[in-house]
């Protein structure tokens, strides 16, 4: 859980993690858009725009490196507390990104998956998201999972409620409920186990993101603000991951 600059790890020649140890599933808490804009005397929306560009670069780097799934924390269930103008800007950028990138992502074999409840968004935005998910559903090269209106505690609550309903209906015995049964109820049930979780901007917390899934994932915190986190920074994070020894509590 050490904090390192994104550029601290050596960059491998093959563009992936050191020694070819590529994480199957990488998740990123994309933090620092507002601070990036403030430092430049720009409105927050400018930071979000640059953050969208960073997401595009990182997705490309992840695909080239052989990462199977990239999960991005785009809009948390707590983000509704932000000013309405900023929420509107975020929704507009999300719509623009999907409209601009969908055909290219589909052509590159990227499957788009949503975790969280995007039905809470405006109907036109929700429909656009559904279109992207449906269009790319059969793609197999890589998965881009986008967390929208997502909160890990709420995800776990929903999983517990679903299991409780099955018990109540006589479909499940409480004594048979284990980790696998809970995982089967999570939004990430069809994704690979989470190997690496990155947070940008110098903050050292998970902020209600993938709490169950990160139980044994490697955590990497970098001071780099998200708009400045590019392909090189992502490759450096993969190299840092590749240099670690994962023990899973065994020794």
């Amino acid at each position: 859980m050490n904090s390192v600059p994104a550029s601290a790890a050596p960059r491998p020649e093959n563009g992936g993690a050191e020694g070819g140890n590529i994480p199957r599933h990488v998740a990123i808490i994309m933090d620092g858009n507002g601070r990036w804009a403030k430092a430049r005397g720009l409105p927050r929306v400018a930071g979000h725009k640059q953050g969208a560009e960073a997401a595009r670069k990182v997705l490309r780097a992840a695909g080239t490196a052989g990462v199977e799934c990239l999960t991005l924390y785009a809009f948390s269930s707590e983000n509704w507390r932000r000013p309405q103008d900023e929420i509107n800007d975020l929704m507009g950028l999300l719509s623009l990104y999907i409209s601009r990138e969908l055909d290219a992502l589909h052509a590159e074999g990227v499957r788009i998956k949503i975790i969280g409840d995007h039905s809470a968004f405006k109907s036109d935005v929700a429909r656009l998201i559904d279109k992207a998910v449906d269009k790319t559903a059969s793609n197999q090269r890589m998965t881009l999972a986008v967390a929208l209106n997502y909160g890990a505690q709420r995800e776990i609550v929903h999983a517990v409620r679903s299991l409780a309903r099955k018990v109540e209906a006589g479909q499940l015995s409480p004594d048979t409920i284990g980790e696998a049964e809970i995982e089967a109820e999570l939004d990430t049930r069809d994704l690979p186990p989470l190997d690496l979780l990155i947070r940008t901007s110098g903050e050292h917390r998970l902020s209600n993101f993938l709490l169950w899934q990160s139980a044994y994932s490697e955590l990497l915190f970098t001071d780099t603000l998200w708009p400045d986190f590019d392909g090189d920074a992502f490759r450096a994070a993969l190299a840092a991951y590749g240099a670690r020894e994962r023990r899973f509590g065994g020794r």
Side-chain angles (χ1 to χ4, degrees):
M1 291 177 56
N2 57 306
S3 175
V4 298
S7 59
R11 180 177 175 182
E13 292 181 2
N14 65 0
E18 186 175 285
N21 185 15
I22 305 297
R24 295 179 63 199
H25 184 180
V26 179
I28 305 179
I29 301 174
M30 306 179 294
D31 195 16
N33 291 348
R35 275 169 281 176
W36 184 92
K38 183 178 180 180
R40 291 159 176 77
L42 300 172
R44 288 180 66 88
V45 67
H48 294 314
K49 287 180 179 178
Q50 192 63 29
E53 179 63 17
R56 187 181 64 81
K57 293 177 181 177
V58 168
L59 176 61
R60 181 181 294 116
T64 300
V67 173
E68 293 180 29
C69 178
L70 177 67
T71 298
L72 301 178
Y73 203 8
F75 192 91
S76 76
S77 53
E78 290 79 21
N79 284 158
W80 293 110
R81 302 171 187 167
R82 295 188 177 187
Q84 189 60 50
D85 287 348
E86 184 174 359
I87 292 174
N88 292 340
D89 287 338
L90 286 168
M91 293 301 103
L93 281 172
L94 176 62
S95 298
L96 179 62
Y97 182 87
I98 294 174
S99 299
R100 187 182 66 182
E101 300 291 337
L102 179 56
D103 288 343
L105 292 175
H106 182 50
E108 293 168 6
V110 177
R111 176 177 74 112
I112 297 174
K113 176 183 172 62
I114 305 300
I115 64 173
D117 180 18
H118 68 284
S119 66
F121 294 165
K122 292 181 179 180
S123 58
D124 57 334
V125 178
R127 283 195 299 269
L128 188 59
I129 294 169
D130 289 336
K131 175 185 175 182
V133 170
D134 291 343
K135 183 170 184 175
T136 63
S138 299
N139 293 341
Q140 298 181 5
R141 175 174 171 260
M142 181 184 179
T143 296
L144 171 61
V146 185
L148 295 172
N149 192 25
Y150 172 87
Q153 291 177 328
R154 185 174 65 179
E155 177 189 28
I156 295 170
V157 167
H158 286 174
V160 171
R161 286 177 178 170
S162 178
L163 291 171
R165 285 191 290 269
K166 291 180 179 179
V167 170
E168 187 177 40
Q171 301 170 350
L172 187 67
S173 168
D175 293 335
T176 64
I177 297 175
E179 295 176 8
E181 286 70 30
I182 294 174
E183 288 174 354
E185 300 292 339
L186 299 177
D187 293 352
T188 55
R189 54 189 168 271
D190 62 340
L191 300 180
L194 180 61
D195 294 314
L196 173 63
L197 191 151
I198 301 167
R199 179 166 189 153
T200 60
S201 86
E203 302 295 344
H204 293 184
R205 58 181 180 273
L206 298 183
S207 295
N208 200 19
F209 183 52
L210 300 180
L211 299 181
W212 176 280
Q213 296 86 344
S214 62
Y216 278 101
S217 66
E218 294 294 315
L219 307 181
L220 188 147
F221 302 104
T222 172
D223 292 335
T224 303
L225 300 177
W226 175 246
D228 292 326
F229 195 89
D230 56 12
D232 285 344
F234 184 77
R235 285 184 286 270
L238 295 187
Y241 169 87
R244 296 183 184 183
E245 181 182 1
R246 302 186 72 190
R247 300 182 179 181
F248 300 98
R251 54 190 169 88

